Amino acid sequence: MTMPAISAKAPGKTILFGEHAVVYGYPAIAVPIHAVHVKTIVQPAVETGLSMICFRNKGAEENVPLNELGSSHPIHAVVAQLRELIGQDLPPFILTITSTIPITAGLGSSAAVAVAAASGLSQFAGKKLTDTEINRIAYQSEIIQHGTPSGIDNSVIAFEKPIYFIKGKPLQTLTINKNIHLVLADSGERTLTKDVVSQVRKSREVDPEKFETIFSAIGQICRGAKAALECGDLAALGKFMTENHLHLQEIGVSSKKLDRLVNAAIGHGAYGAKLCGGGKGGFMVAICEEENQESIADQLRTFSPQVIETMVTKEG
Ligand code: PMV
């Protein structure tokens, strides 16, 4: 009897409040973004007996034998940890990874790949893991990818729920009281998150007081935003987002293009907007009323290479 193919999926994410400060122990809020996702399909490698990874992206396909990926590859880390958790080798497999999440753009592409790979491969090996176990595996994979990740990306993606996250503390999922309409727009620029995080670390060493003041203000914003999310106060959320963006500008992680997107979104009726993720490029996120969403998105499309209209529902 041939084993059926197994598929798994993981969403993208956006950080609504608190990126960078979260690395230093301050709270942050992130939500899953279902408009983009990673899908994995796992099939047994019956004919060759050789485990293969097949990366599919926009019509292009790359097939790499698992043993050629190298031990520093994030997928290698996922497989190695699964092996340890299960206590045995996985049967030979073909893992196909397809993603609609833009890479290095602040939308959690690497964490989603790790989550969808861990979920698919564990089911293939006959062991269904809990979200907590998948989250742990994805975090190890993120360490390889990003160096010193806070863990917020893998957490929001593994649990697929809005989260209030403090590094090293038990995860809190958030109950939101109103559907939230978001517009995300690409600056078209790219900088690796680990490079931006390292730049912030160096600047913080030069002026620790300035950075503590800013991070602590971002922490306050997060606490206020948590309450606003829970009671569905969109206008307050927007105000907090724009304030958060100003602080991200102060620590030097915005860019002219991100600022232009933020200003345009607000100028066309969004409650507020900010860059999201590591910054120095990647996406901006704006919060708005449902009836404004399309017109804001259309305006941003005139100069952004990719605009995503999405909604975070009460269910996540
Ligand atoms: O760029 P992203 O989507 O990986 O988000 C990074 C968020 C940071 O706070 C800048 C880093 C981290 O590890 O939390």
Side-chain angles (χ1 to χ4, degrees):
M1 197 180 73
T2 45
M3 260 165 106
I6 282 165
S7 66
K9 223 171 158 185
K13 63 89 214 191
T14 185
I15 299 179
L16 291 181
F17 303 96
E19 51 273 271
H20 287 290
V22 70
V23 174
Y24 299 93
Y26 292 94
I29 294 175
V31 295
I33 298 292
H34 294 282
V36 287
H37 63 264
V38 169
K39 187 174 173 194
T40 52
I41 296 174
V42 192
Q43 295 162 284
V46 186
E47 279 163 33
T48 59
L50 182 71
S51 289
M52 293 285 295
I53 315 295
C54 168
F55 298 96
R56 276 195 197 149
N57 196 359
K58 292 185 183 151
E61 189 168 309
E62 189 193 0
N63 295 300
V64 188
L66 176 66
N67 57 15
E68 283 178 23
L69 270 188
S71 57
S72 63
H73 194 283
I75 293 288
H76 203 282
V78 169
V79 175
Q81 283 184 85
L82 269 175
R83 215 180 269 148
E84 213 177 290
L85 206 77
I86 296 167
Q88 61 185 54
D89 262 345
L90 276 68
F93 59 81
I94 302 166
L95 169 68
T96 305
I97 303 171
T98 319
S99 177
T100 62
I101 307 179
I103 296 167
T104 328
L107 301 188
S109 147
S110 60
V113 167
V115 166
S119 167
L121 287 170
S122 58
Q123 291 177 61
F124 172 75
K127 182 161 169 65
K128 188 146 176 24
L129 300 182
T130 62
D131 291 344
T132 304
E133 287 169 320
I134 288 180
N135 189 25
R136 219 172 281 145
I137 291 176
Y139 180 60
Q140 293 305 319
S141 173
E142 285 285 274
I143 289 177
I144 290 178
Q145 189 89 359
H146 294 299
T148 53
S150 63
I152 188 168
D153 285 15
N154 45 283
S155 300
V156 65
I157 291 172
F159 288 89
E160 290 193 34
K161 290 255 177 331
I163 58 167
Y164 184 79
F165 180 90
I166 302 174
K167 192 174 155 187
K169 295 265 166 67
L171 193 68
Q172 288 181 50
T173 55
L174 285 174
T175 310
I176 60 172
N177 206 11
K178 210 176 198 176
N179 293 342
I180 294 174
H181 290 82
L182 301 174
V183 178
L184 296 122
D186 190 358
S187 65
E189 305 164 309
R190 295 289 181 266
T191 306
L192 289 177
T193 296
K194 70 173 173 196
D195 292 344
V196 190
V197 169
S198 138
Q199 179 210 302
V200 170
R201 178 163 292 125
K202 284 187 193 127
S203 311
R204 181 176 171 265
E205 277 161 17
V206 174
D207 195 345
E209 247 173 65
K210 171 184 165 189
F211 276 72
E212 281 322 302
T213 307
I214 296 172
F215 287 158
S216 145
I218 294 176
Q220 275 302 112
I221 288 174
C222 277
R223 285 183 275 273
K226 178 174 183 277
L229 258 177
E230 284 167 343
C231 68
D233 186 345
L234 302 184
L237 281 172
K239 198 167 153 279
F240 283 133
M241 272 168 94
T242 308
E243 266 176 43
N244 194 157
H245 183 72
L246 296 178
H247 289 308
L248 291 167
Q249 282 179 329
E250 285 172 325
I251 62 165
V253 301
S254 190
S255 71
K256 284 206 174 89
K257 287 189 176 164
L258 283 164
D259 293 345
R260 186 177 171 208
L261 287 168
V262 165
N263 291 334
I266 297 168
H268 289 98
Y271 283 122
K274 60 181 271 297
L275 70 87
C276 56
K280 290 245 155 199
F283 275 66
M284 171 243 38
V285 57
I287 184 166
C288 59
E289 286 292 346
E290 185 176 5
E291 53 266 33
N292 291 344
Q293 192 178 29
E294 201 179 330
S295 65
I296 295 169
D298 285 346
Q299 291 297 334
L300 300 181
R301 270 189 199 104
T302 59
F303 64 100
S304 162
Q306 187 177 6
V307 176
I308 299 168
E309 291 168 65
T310 191
M311 178 172 78
V312 184
T313 63
K314 290 182 212 168
E315 290 73 39

